[in-house]
Amino acid sequence: AQTVTQSQPEMSVQEAETVTLSCTYDTSESDYYLFWYKQPPSRQMILVIRQEAYKQQNATENRFSVNFQKAAKSFSLKISDSQLGDAAMYFCAYHNNAGNMLTFGGGTRLMVKP
Amino acid sequence: DAGVIQSPRHEVTEMGQEVTLRCKPISGHNSLFWYRQTMMRGLELLIYFNNNVPIDDSGMPEDRFSAKMPNASFSTLKIQPSEPRDSAVYFCASSPWGSYNEQFFGPGTRLTVL
């Protein structure tokens, strides 16, 4: 079974600064997908960014980018120019290729200081 | 598109009572997921359906939990009898079939069992 680990329960960043959230996973598969979801206080789960394991190029979405290290099974999220609205829980998730199931990490609570 | 719709948003009940949570997926999505979120265990997949058929229910905690999807636009998660340890936020999500596809989450139902 796959496992996803987020080793930082909480992180804080100054507004306009950059922060990186860590995620590692364990799998024996070679083809899979990785996601970062954001959960603000409203509880709504929102997709931030996704990465296909077969792609070497790191995904980017505006201020959000990932550092995908397949050999190390690492998938970190970088948030540039942090904004107050980025304050939320962030969940890393693994999706296997064969099935249709997401395995989530324990989450990292991000606080943004004005 | 209204997104995934869940009802009720909040439910407070007494131990031993039957609880039914409802979900309407996004039209055209053929996969539906039920998750439970608690502080202790994080986000757990309980069960998922593809084309109204349960595919994996290994996450359902015990026989007190049951889920149905009688048609493509409606699913229920029932707990009978409910216990205080069932208190959690229950999310429904839907997606088109496929690993790359984002799962769209509903707003969740916060269940409190007294």
Side-chain angles (χ1 to χ4, degrees):
Chain A
Q2 293 81 20
T3 58
V4 179
T5 302
Q6 293 179 248
S7 59
Q8 306 151 317
E10 283 191 359
M11 293 281 287
S12 66
V13 62
Q14 204 70 36
E15 194 176 6
E17 297 295 310
T18 295
V19 64
T20 298
L21 309 184
S22 301
C23 173
T24 58
Y25 57 93
D26 185 26
T27 184
S28 58
E29 299 177 328
S30 60
D31 197 11
Y32 48 87
Y33 300 82
L34 297 164
F35 299 80
W36 278 98
Y37 277 86
K38 170 185 178 181
Q39 187 180 38
S42 67
R43 282 201 323 244
Q44 185 72 48
M45 294 285 285
I46 304 164
L47 178 68
V48 175
I49 199 166
R50 78 185 102 198
Q51 174 80 42
E52 301 96 312
Y54 65 86
K55 287 188 176 180
Q56 291 187 338
Q57 186 174 7
N58 288 325
T60 62
E61 287 286 343
N62 301 314
R63 298 183 295 107
F64 298 86
S65 62
V66 300
N67 183 5
F68 174 48
Q69 301 290 328
K70 191 173 184 179
K73 297 179 182 176
S74 170
F75 181 60
S76 60
L77 174 69
K78 186 171 81 171
I79 306 173
S80 304
D81 185 25
S82 298
Q83 300 175 359
L84 295 177
D86 295 333
M89 284 289 289
Y90 286 82
F91 292 93
C92 176
Y94 173 100
H95 195 309
N96 61 1
N97 192 36
N100 203 23
M101 295 168 58
L102 276 175
T103 301
F104 285 90
T108 297
R109 180 176 302 281
L110 177 67
M111 294 172 285
V112 181
K113 300 176 181 177
Chain B
D1 194 333
V4 176
I5 299 172
Q6 289 187 250
S7 64
R9 293 293 306 275
H10 303 273
E11 177 79 23
V12 180
T13 190
E14 293 188 345
M15 183 173 62
Q17 296 298 306
E18 177 180 298
V19 175
T20 300
L21 311 181
R22 297 172 175 79
C23 175
K24 176 179 169 56
I26 293 173
S27 177
H29 286 186
N30 53 7
S31 295
L32 183 139
F33 309 82
W34 283 101
Y35 291 91
R36 179 172 68 176
Q37 185 177 33
T38 62
M39 288 293 292
M40 290 296 294
R41 301 175 67 92
L43 266 164
E44 305 172 278
L45 177 66
L46 300 178
I47 185 171
Y48 83 91
F49 296 83
N50 188 48
N51 292 327
N52 312 339
V53 176
I55 303 299
D56 190 324
D57 65 354
S58 59
M60 296 286 263
E62 48 197 276
D63 292 346
R64 297 185 297 106
F65 286 69
S66 62
K68 294 182 179 180
M69 193 166 185
N71 57 61
S73 59
F74 184 66
S75 177
T76 60
L77 178 67
K78 185 178 295 186
I79 308 172
Q80 166 64 18
S82 58
E83 297 182 3
R85 60 193 169 115
D86 301 330
S87 297
V89 179
Y90 291 82
F91 287 99
C92 176
S94 72
S95 78
W97 175 261
S99 308
Y100 184 75
N101 291 308
E102 172 187 357
Q103 290 186 15
F104 292 81
F105 284 75
T109 294
R110 180 177 293 279
L111 174 65
T112 302
V113 183
L114 303 175

